[in-house]
């Protein structure tokens, strides 16, 4: 649905993006994660056609954003980091204004009411935007992005500046919107991205440093899996037995009866290890994944970032 291909962007001598490529498939919620200054906003602005890339291509549902901007932009709902709200308007008036601006062809009253219900702002429709809390303003911005039912939503740091309750509400909202839309949303907060997204694209210093399903990310970063084991029996027997299992790369002895097993990424060695140790008469007392946590992976990849 969204294809970013070899995009490079320079601001004068600053290379903000350096040959980045990634995709977001239909119905996927993809998190663009990186420290401040990594290039997230620049990426978002290029995807939405607000900024042109120096090199590379962005396709929205197969349509090139630079060659056919009108057609491509009609498929996108964009929530910039600071939504450009007209604060003297009421919520309803503002949404009517955006509806007209976007030249939406749906029945106006019903569609605006539907969108207000989705983002839960119907109760403030007559309030002047200036008097709304930051959380409500963010939802008004989201409502504006949703007008016209675009299949793609691009959300730039949608929870910045919100209180914890508002953050939880917006996350829930994004998750539910993910059922019907392809979403790319940026954040510098790992826990946020991992709570909401199917896939994480990590960006640092204008380069993509990781791109994987949220639950597979740490494994894909370390390039191999790690298991921590506690096993009874003679050390040489245990090591030898585990070493015969397909996919096992290294067995290291830790304190007591503990071992660390490194294995090839994508291979599940647990059953094999169970079988060989049972055969050798060495009971397994504990076995768990010893991979880097997502936090550790993120820090490892973004060391030296601007944040
Ligand atoms: N208009 C500009 N002129 C010059 N340099 C810029 C401009 N906009 C961004 N940059 C630089 O490009 C790099 C990427 O910036 P960008 O705003 O895309 O990062 P970001 O990941 O969105 O960070 P933040 O979360 O702080 O907004 C940074 O080094 C930034 O200083």
């Amino acid at each position: 649905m969204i294809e970013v291909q070899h995009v490079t962007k320079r601001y004068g001598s600053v290379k903000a993006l350096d040959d980045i490529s990634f995709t977001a498939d239909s119905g996927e919620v993809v998190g663009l994660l990186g420290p401040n200054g990594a290039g997230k906003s620049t990426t978002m602005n290029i995807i939405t056609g607000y900024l042109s890339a120096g090199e590379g291509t962005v396709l929205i549902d197969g349509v090139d954003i630079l060659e056919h901007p009108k057609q491509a932009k009609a498929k996108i709902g964009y929530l910039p980091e600071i939504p450009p709200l007209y604060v003297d308007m009421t919520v309803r008036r503002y949404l009517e204004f955006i509806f007209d601006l976007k030249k939406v062809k749906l029945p106006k009253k019903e569609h605006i009411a539907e969108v207000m219900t989705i983002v839960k702002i119907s109760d403030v429709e007559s309030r002047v935007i200036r008097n709304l809390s930051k959380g409500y303003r963010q939802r008004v911005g989201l409502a504006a992005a949703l007008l016209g039912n675009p299949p793609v939503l691009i959300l730039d740091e949608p929870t910045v500046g919100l209180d914890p309750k508002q953050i939880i509400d917006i996350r829930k909202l994004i998750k539910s919107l993910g059922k019907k839309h392809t979403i790319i949303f940026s954040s510098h907060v790992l826990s946020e991205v991992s709570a909401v997204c199917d896939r994480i694209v990590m960006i640092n210093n204008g380069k993509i440093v990781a791109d994987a399903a949220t639950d597979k990310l740490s494994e894909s970063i370390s390039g191999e899996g790690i298991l921590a084991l506690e096993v009874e029996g003679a050390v040489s027997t245990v090591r030898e037995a585990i070493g015969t299992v397909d996919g096992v790369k290294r067995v290291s002895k830790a304190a007591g009866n503990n071992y660390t097993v490194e294995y090839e990424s994508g291979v599940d060695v647990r059953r094999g290890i169970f079988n060989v140790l049972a055969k050798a008469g060495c009971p397994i007392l504990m076995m768990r994944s010893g991979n880097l946590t997502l936090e550790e992976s993120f820090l490892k990849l973004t060391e030296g970032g601007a944040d």
Side-chain angles (χ1 to χ4, degrees):
M1 178 56 92
I2 304 169
E3 292 170 67
V4 177
Q5 299 167 344
H6 302 291
V7 165
T8 294
K9 174 76 188 175
R10 287 185 187 77
Y11 296 109
S13 60
V14 179
K15 210 175 196 181
L17 296 180
D18 187 1
D19 192 19
I20 67 160
S21 299
F22 65 93
T23 58
D25 292 335
S26 205
E28 221 179 6
V29 182
V30 174
L32 192 60
L33 176 71
N36 291 330
K40 302 182 296 296
S41 296
T42 303
T43 306
M44 301 293 216
N45 281 323
I46 289 174
I47 294 175
T48 50
Y50 285 88
L51 205 62
S52 63
E55 293 154 41
T57 317
V58 173
L59 302 177
I60 310 292
D61 204 8
V63 181
D64 189 313
I65 189 87
L66 281 188
E67 279 178 15
H68 306 285
K70 255 193 178 168
Q71 208 185 330
K73 279 184 186 181
K75 295 175 187 287
I76 301 174
Y78 181 31
L79 178 69
E81 197 169 342
I82 300 162
L85 301 173
Y86 289 102
V87 294
D88 292 328
M89 289 183 182
T90 63
V91 170
R92 167 170 285 283
R93 178 73 199 95
Y94 174 70
L95 293 178
E96 285 170 354
F97 172 72
I98 299 293
F99 183 100
D100 294 341
L101 203 67
K102 283 186 164 181
K103 300 192 173 73
V104 178
K105 298 280 187 296
L106 299 161
K108 192 167 178 175
K109 210 170 161 211
E110 290 81 356
H111 183 51
I112 289 177
E114 182 196 350
V115 165
M116 285 198 295
T117 307
I118 293 172
V119 303
K120 300 199 179 87
I121 52 171
S122 309
D123 53 332
V124 296
E125 66 168 291
S126 309
R127 297 258 301 267
V128 173
I129 293 174
R130 180 189 304 286
N131 300 329
L132 295 179
S133 69
K134 178 108 192 344
Y136 264 105
R137 284 189 195 200
Q138 202 67 344
R139 289 192 216 188
V140 174
L142 206 47
L146 283 170
L147 286 174
N149 285 335
V152 171
L153 290 178
I154 307 289
L155 316 174
D156 196 355
E157 303 246 6
T159 60
V160 160
L162 304 185
D163 68 33
K165 162 92 172 54
Q166 293 168 334
I167 289 177
I168 291 170
D169 288 348
I170 290 279
R171 278 185 192 170
K172 265 196 205 150
L173 187 54
I174 294 171
K175 261 200 135 154
S176 71
L177 289 171
K179 290 179 192 142
K180 284 201 178 155
H181 301 262
T182 303
I183 301 181
I184 295 188
F185 105 90
S186 73
S187 173
H188 60 277
V189 183
L190 174 69
S191 56
E192 171 143 306
V193 172
S194 57
V196 179
C197 299
D198 306 312
R199 203 151 60 78
I200 298 180
V201 175
M202 272 196 206
I203 180 166
N204 191 39
N205 289 329
K207 289 196 170 107
I208 292 192
V209 290
D211 178 350
T214 306
D215 53 352
K216 295 270 185 292
L217 192 68
S218 58
E219 191 178 310
S220 89
I221 289 164
S222 64
E224 59 195 15
I226 297 172
L227 275 182
L229 283 170
E230 189 181 353
V231 186
E232 265 176 9
V235 176
S236 57
T237 314
V238 172
R239 292 182 76 141
E240 208 171 290
I242 298 175
T244 62
V245 175
D246 269 357
V248 167
K249 286 164 75 177
R250 197 147 55 122
V251 185
S252 320
K253 172 84 175 57
N257 285 332
N258 292 293
Y259 298 81
T260 305
V261 178
E262 291 170 45
Y263 61 93
E264 286 163 27
S265 172
V267 181
D268 192 344
V269 294
R270 291 171 302 177
R271 283 173 197 81
I273 291 176
F274 169 82
N275 286 331
V276 293
L277 289 175
K279 225 182 211 171
C282 302
I284 297 173
L285 305 179
M286 182 276 291
M287 186 190 307
R288 68 173 166 78
S289 165
N291 281 337
L292 294 179
T293 64
L294 266 181
E295 278 80 6
E296 287 165 338
S297 310
F298 184 43
L299 286 175
K300 187 173 156 190
L301 287 172
T302 57
E303 263 166 20
D307 204 3

